[in-house]
Amino acid sequence: MNVSPNVLFAALGVALLVLWVWRASARRARRAADAARASARLLSLTGRVVAGAVVLTGVQWLAFTYPGAPWLLRVAALGLPALFSSYTLVRALTVTTVDFRREARRGGRR
């Protein structure tokens, strides 16, 4: 079987093109997956915040509309949610780790 240099170079070019397209699509898929993960994380957080707000509002509404509620129950209905929400806000706004992108390990910009 005789293979001319032109056919060999053409086959090598096609192989490099296929490899390049495959790597580009893998990068694009990774970026899309990261974006989907970030939006799902945000949606999950939003859902939990709304559910927590509904529960807290319901408990506070019950504590204040119940005619025989003692003053300690009314203070607890306002004070405990304030403590939990301030704890959550402090944890959310405190940076504990620094996440580096994957390109940083390969000598990219940091």
Side-chain angles (χ1 to χ4, degrees):
M1 179 171 156
N2 277 340
V3 179
S4 69
N6 289 340
V7 172
L8 187 62
F9 283 126
L12 183 63
V14 168
L16 287 176
L17 181 67
V18 166
L19 182 66
W20 178 73
V21 168
W22 177 60
R23 285 186 47 102
S25 66
R27 283 188 199 124
R28 209 173 313 127
R30 187 179 310 124
R31 270 188 245 122
D34 289 344
R37 225 176 279 120
S39 65
R41 206 175 298 140
L42 178 63
L43 186 61
S44 174
L45 177 64
T46 303
R48 285 183 282 168
V49 166
V50 169
V54 166
V55 169
L56 292 176
T57 303
V59 168
Q60 288 177 343
W61 178 78
L62 284 173
F64 282 106
T65 58
Y66 185 70
W71 67 272
L72 186 59
L73 179 64
R74 291 180 183 193
V75 169
L78 288 176
L80 286 178
L83 287 174
F84 286 129
S85 62
S86 66
Y87 171 76
T88 304
L89 280 174
V90 167
R91 279 198 54 186
L93 297 176
T94 302
V95 177
T96 56
T97 62
V98 177
D99 295 331
F100 290 107
R101 295 180 60 177
R102 297 183 85 168
E103 289 82 20
R105 291 190 324 198
R106 288 186 250 149
R109 252 177 65 191
R110 292 180 190 235

